[in-house]
Amino acid sequence: MGLVAAAVLTLASLTYIFWPAENPFSQRAKSRLDYLRERKDAVYENLRDLNFEYKAGKYPEEDYVTQRSLLENEAAEIMGEMERLERA
Amino acid sequence: MPHPMPTFGSFSLLLALVLAVYSLAMGGASLWQMATGRAGRIAPERLSETARRAGIMTFAAVSCAAFALVWAAFTNDYSVAYILHHTNRDLHPAYKFSALWSGQEGSLLLWSWLLAAYGFVLRLRHKVDVRLTAHASTILSGVQVFFLLLLVFAAPPFSIQPGEIPPDGFGLNPLLQYPEMVIHPPMLYLGYVGFTVPFAFALGALIMRYPGEKWIHITRRWTMVTWLFLTVGIFLGAHWAYSVLGWGGYWGWDPVENASLMPWLTGTAFLHSVMMQEKRGMMKSWNVWLIFSTFMLTVLGTLLTRSGLVSSVHAFAQSSIGNWFYGFLVLVFCVCLFVFVRQRDHLKTENKLESIVSRESSFLFNNLILLVACFTVLWGTLFPVLSEYVQGSKATVGAPFYNRVALPIGLFLLFLTGVGPLLAWRSTTLRTIRRNFVLPSIATVATAIGLMFAHIRPWEDQSELYSLMAFSLGAGVITAILSEFLRGANVVRTQTGKNLFAASLQLIQRNTRRYGGYIVHFGVVVIIVGIAGGAFNQSTEQEVGFGDKINIGGYELRCQSYTQDSNANYDTEYALLDVYRHGNYVTQLAPEHRFYSASQTNSTIVANRSTLQHDLYVIYEGKNPETGKPIIKAFLNPLIAWIWIGVLIIILGTFVALAPAIKPALAASRVMHTEAVAVGSGD
């Protein structure tokens, strides 16, 4: 019985591994542009967090304005590079 | 064939090894082809797909081996040496099942099976990022090959017992015959093994110079689930030690306890510092090494638990597999170092630390403190081994060494837990500090003053000083967490018009990660409060005859009787103690002392009355041979129950953090939908 079970397991493994895949899934390499899109999302999320914390009364007006302009500059830089890459 | 199941089990392991080697080799070859652009006779995508499938079938093969071992335990197949040495006929079925991880070979099989299971899930979800998953899958196969090599060549679980087969097994170690032991080791191992997944993704991302931080996003849930398993495993172990070992405590800085704590410390540091990488693209090299170290510490933990390298009440194995682990650890370190050196320019930070008073710096301090704690524990754990190697005699590192370092570190971490979320990213001005720190500071100072009025004397006793600091800082942290919730809920309330409770729930749903994290922090504070209660422990030991009394902290224990009993698995002696508090009957406790005939060993069964205020913890220490009367030791341990409650809160918080967040827009549309339905139903 042990040998039969072992044979079944081996056969099942080989069949599954080498059974032709109809559409072997492939993927294009991630580009700098993909990466910048992710960074843009992250900066936008940081901005949303900052706005929410400001509304919650966690930061005074002056600090909020400074923080927001820093994040907006970062977003602008990322979007600038994205535009350049998309044009190229 | 005389031994069909063991044969099947052995064959399954051998097949699993072949499949894992194939997955490693073909996975590696296909990735190399893709990276260099050199195509072989078979397209690299096709080759990679067969490697993935081989990884999946590795899980099937290791599962068959694990099933064969459990089957052997339930059918009392003592031709298998492992089953003979770890079970007996009268053993409870739950413990027969737990025999799978009660000895070295079985626990290595469990490691391998869990790794294969994690790999199975990872490979099924490969479409999340095919190339990155292919890298991680290949690395997992490499780790799998190591554990399967151990199981096939160094510690085979299906070895046949030579000579005549005894009619009954030698039994399971009595210390392991406790309900928690059925779930504690799998939990701990799920934690240990699970860190292989973020490790594999981190190493894979570095090898392929993966742009961006998406690998962190992909592994975030893996890391959190793994961290939760490890946390629960550690505290189940602590609870087991408290309930079974009978020394009145739950954590003795035992080397095996330390082994589980070290990856937890670095894993916790990693969970915090990856947020800096996600948010600001900082600390990339640091994070990579944190997860590399965490993985290596899990391997070290397995080595310490299973090799007999250190003496421990938790180490249930002595063997020579240590050399395999040393070799593997060196190999892993070299691979990590090589890849890091080769690809280090890929890990350049995008932003610098701008201010010492910022959210980033609080994360950095948190990381440094956790690493100092980890190094201290590592040093204390390995010092006896090193001293024996260098001087020929084994030095002992006891609890005082660890406590001297761990207590201040724990308090500083508690302080950072409260401070961190109140600081702003980049830099925090004095205005923000004033605005956010007033309430928590008042809570801290008020608690300290209140406790001193309640007769805690920090100037008289160092342990009382630490307790006072823990309670006070705990109050400050809880206030900070509550104020974060209240402020956020107020914003949601203004936006949606909901009541405070509903607004709080929606707040949590909007940012499950952040508010789940705060719940976890709250759980940590509760645990620390429970630990701090240890400064006020009391104990007494007394010989008691019929009607004799023991007095401890307002309790009176009256010996009703003492007797003995036996069943097929063990003989027992126990005392029946009536418990009175301030003259009123409360309950009856029956501490036991057991003798297991199959393994010829003794065990203590603690009787414990646990309340939120304190535990009345009673041990039967044996009989005085001269008088024939039992010796009873009683402890009064304040606030212990809060430790276990804190763990439940951590579990809740982690589940919240794992739940997907509802985006504000979606949440708003839900509100509108709910209102529309309400209006509609009103019609």
Side-chain angles (χ1 to χ4, degrees):
Chain A
M1 193 193 79
L3 278 181
V4 174
V8 170
L9 181 65
T10 311
L11 205 63
S13 301
L14 293 175
T15 309
Y16 177 67
I17 293 166
F18 296 110
W19 193 266
E22 284 178 10
N23 291 308
F25 191 84
S26 61
Q27 180 193 0
R28 69 176 174 83
K30 200 172 163 187
S31 65
R32 171 86 184 159
L33 198 60
D34 296 326
Y35 161 67
L36 289 172
R37 282 194 193 105
E38 283 172 18
R39 280 305 305 159
K40 189 188 80 177
D41 289 346
V43 175
Y44 276 18
E45 199 185 316
N46 293 349
L47 262 167
R48 272 196 297 274
D49 280 353
L50 180 71
N51 283 334
F52 186 81
E53 290 188 324
Y54 169 65
K55 281 182 196 161
K58 212 166 151 181
Y59 306 124
E61 175 82 26
E62 303 92 317
D63 293 6
Y64 166 68
V65 171
T66 315
Q67 294 275 349
R68 197 181 63 183
S69 67
L70 285 168
L71 281 171
E72 283 171 349
N73 287 344
E74 199 177 336
E77 273 175 34
I78 291 168
M79 288 168 80
E81 191 182 345
M82 280 172 71
E83 258 180 48
R84 277 197 300 279
L85 286 171
E86 275 165 346
R87 256 188 268 126
Chain B
M1 190 173 23
H3 311 293
M5 249 351 206
T7 306
F8 176 59
S10 294
F11 179 82
S12 300
L13 282 179
L14 198 59
L15 178 67
L17 176 62
V18 172
L19 293 172
V21 168
Y22 178 87
S23 180
L24 172 66
M26 292 305 121
S30 63
L31 293 172
W32 181 77
Q33 284 182 2
M34 284 185 225
T36 55
R38 292 181 200 173
R41 209 158 48 84
I42 304 169
E45 287 85 4
R46 177 78 193 105
L47 206 56
S48 178
E49 177 62 11
T50 63
R52 185 182 74 87
R53 292 184 184 191
I56 288 174
M57 286 315 291
T58 306
F59 171 63
V62 182
S63 298
C64 288
F67 172 76
L69 195 65
V70 173
W71 181 271
F74 276 94
T75 54
N76 302 314
D77 186 351
Y78 299 122
S79 66
V80 180
Y82 181 82
I83 300 301
L84 176 72
H85 287 93
H86 295 94
T87 67
N88 60 297
R89 288 183 187 277
D90 295 316
L91 193 66
H92 190 280
Y95 299 130
K96 281 192 177 176
F97 185 75
S98 71
L100 174 60
W101 50 82
S102 301
Q104 178 180 274
E105 296 85 350
S107 63
L108 289 172
L109 179 56
L110 177 69
W111 224 107
S112 194
W113 183 75
L114 292 175
L115 183 62
Y118 275 118
F120 175 73
V121 178
L122 178 143
R123 287 165 183 130
L124 283 187
R125 292 172 47 83
H126 71 129
K127 288 187 180 175
V128 68
D129 193 310
V130 177
R131 283 208 181 172
L132 181 60
T133 309
H135 279 79
S137 165
T138 305
I139 292 161
L140 279 188
S141 296
V143 179
Q144 187 87 59
V145 165
F146 167 71
F147 279 94
L148 286 168
L149 279 172
L150 268 178
L151 284 165
V152 170
F153 297 110
F158 296 100
S159 296
I160 300 299
Q161 177 69 19
E164 196 178 330
I165 295 165
D168 198 0
F170 303 151
L172 183 66
N173 185 333
L175 291 174
L176 300 178
Q177 295 187 38
Y178 191 77
E180 271 164 341
M181 265 296 147
V182 181
I183 51 170
H184 158 60
M187 284 287 167
L188 205 60
Y189 271 44
L190 276 164
Y192 273 177
V193 181
F195 275 118
T196 316
V197 176
F199 163 75
F201 270 101
L203 186 59
L206 191 55
I207 289 171
M208 68 184 283
R209 300 174 72 83
Y210 189 79
E213 273 61 68
K214 197 181 165 196
W215 71 270
I216 293 175
H217 184 72
I218 294 171
T219 55
R220 191 170 73 82
R221 286 203 168 82
W222 288 97
T223 313
M224 279 164 58
V225 168
T226 295
W227 180 86
L228 180 65
F229 279 132
L230 191 55
T231 307
V232 172
I234 288 171
F235 281 97
L236 278 174
H239 195 264
W240 167 80
Y242 185 61
S243 310
V244 170
L245 297 182
W247 60 278
Y250 47 85
W251 191 266
W253 296 106
D254 177 278
V256 171
E257 292 171 349
N258 295 348
S260 62
L261 183 63
M262 288 185 282
W264 185 88
L265 290 166
T266 51
T268 306
F270 176 73
L271 270 175
H272 285 89
S273 65
V274 283
M275 278 190 262
M276 286 170 68
Q277 188 168 341
E278 278 180 282
K279 287 254 181 201
R280 303 215 50 220
M282 294 169 74
M283 295 182 80
K284 293 181 181 179
S285 300
W286 178 272
N287 287 332
V288 156
W289 274 105
L290 267 184
I291 197 63
F292 288 174
S293 309
T294 304
F295 173 68
M296 285 187 266
L297 285 169
T298 62
V299 177
L300 179 72
T302 313
L303 164 70
L304 291 176
T305 321
R306 293 298 158 195
S307 69
L309 178 69
V310 290
S311 320
S312 161
V313 290
H314 300 264
F316 299 106
Q318 293 281 328
S319 77
S320 57
I321 60 167
N323 290 337
W324 288 72
F325 275 95
Y326 299 138
F328 183 60
L329 273 173
V330 170
L331 178 69
V332 171
F333 179 75
C334 290
V335 169
C336 292
L337 189 65
F338 174 75
V339 174
F340 175 77
V341 170
R342 218 175 135 83
Q343 314 281 44
R344 65 185 183 283
D345 59 313
H346 176 65
L347 297 172
K348 265 191 285 188
T349 184
E350 289 158 39
N351 289 294
K352 295 255 183 302
L353 191 66
E354 290 170 30
S355 164
I356 200 75
V357 189
S358 61
R359 187 84 58 93
E360 291 92 323
S361 67
S362 81
F363 278 130
L364 190 64
F365 278 123
N366 150 301
N367 267 237
L368 288 173
I369 294 294
L370 285 166
L371 284 192
V372 167
C374 181
F375 182 76
T376 306
V377 176
L378 181 66
W379 176 249
T381 307
L382 294 182
F383 186 73
V385 181
L386 295 174
S387 69
E388 188 177 29
Y389 184 72
V390 176
Q391 294 177 330
S393 62
K394 208 170 209 168
T396 311
V397 179
F401 163 78
Y402 294 104
N403 289 339
R404 216 171 16 249
V405 185
L407 290 175
I409 283 178
L411 289 171
F412 192 53
L413 273 176
L414 183 60
F415 169 74
L416 287 175
T417 306
V419 167
L422 301 178
L423 297 174
W425 290 99
R426 294 170 188 265
S427 70
T428 311
T429 63
L430 207 58
R431 288 185 296 265
T432 300
I433 290 174
R434 266 203 300 271
R435 179 174 287 212
N436 294 334
F437 283 76
V438 172
L439 273 179
S441 304
I442 291 172
T444 304
V445 174
T447 307
I449 293 169
L451 287 171
M452 282 189 272
F453 274 112
H455 303 293
I456 290 186
R457 298 282 176 264
W459 52 88
E460 286 175 5
D461 183 355
Q462 197 184 39
S463 60
E464 289 196 26
L465 170 69
Y466 283 138
S467 285
L468 179 96
M469 289 172 74
F471 292 138
S472 313
L473 284 172
V477 176
I478 289 172
T479 309
I481 293 170
L482 282 178
S483 71
E484 281 285 298
F485 267 97
L486 280 175
R487 281 171 163 169
N490 270 327
V491 175
V492 177
R493 193 170 61 163
T494 313
Q495 287 172 346
T496 62
K498 291 185 169 185
N499 64 41
L500 193 65
F501 179 71
S504 302
L505 284 182
Q506 192 169 333
L507 174 76
I508 294 170
Q509 285 178 316
R510 279 188 186 185
N511 197 340
T512 50
R513 188 180 183 184
R514 175 192 289 190
Y515 293 99
Y518 286 158
I519 296 171
V520 171
H521 283 180
F522 178 62
V524 171
V525 175
V526 172
I527 289 174
I528 289 177
V529 165
I531 293 170
F536 310 99
N537 285 357
Q538 299 173 46
S539 68
T540 180
E541 188 179 70
Q542 201 176 309
E543 183 181 311
V544 288
F546 294 112
D548 286 349
K549 296 170 188 168
I550 302 171
N551 289 300
I552 183 165
Y555 281 101
E556 186 181 275
L557 283 72
R558 289 185 205 159
C559 180
Q560 189 65 248
S561 66
Y562 50 91
T563 185
Q564 54 195 40
D565 202 352
S566 62
N567 63 29
N569 198 19
Y570 56 80
D571 301 322
T572 179
E573 286 178 11
Y574 60 94
L576 290 173
L577 303 166
D578 285 341
V579 180
Y580 294 84
R581 182 151 170 81
H582 305 306
N584 300 316
Y585 177 78
V586 179
T587 188
Q588 189 174 64
L589 293 177
E592 277 183 66
H593 187 82
R594 289 181 184 170
F595 177 73
Y596 289 80
S597 43
S599 57
Q600 297 285 301
T601 44
N602 294 298
S603 169
T604 301
I605 303 295
V606 175
N608 186 21
R609 180 179 183 269
S610 186
T611 65
L612 292 180
Q613 200 182 350
H614 48 233
D615 280 17
L616 178 63
Y617 178 99
V618 186
I619 305 160
Y620 186 107
E621 294 216 300
K623 273 185 181 166
N624 182 337
E626 289 171 14
T627 61
K629 291 180 183 173
I631 301 164
I632 301 292
K633 188 162 188 180
F635 295 83
L636 195 69
N637 299 333
L639 304 177
I640 293 275
W642 290 99
I643 296 175
W644 322 125
I645 292 169
V647 178
L648 295 178
I649 297 171
I650 287 179
I651 294 171
L652 172 73
T654 312
F655 277 127
V656 169
L658 283 168
I662 298 174
K663 294 273 176 247
L666 183 59
S669 73
R670 281 195 177 188
V671 170
M672 286 164 69
H673 175 71
T674 313
E675 282 166 359
V677 169
V679 170
S681 59
D683 292 341

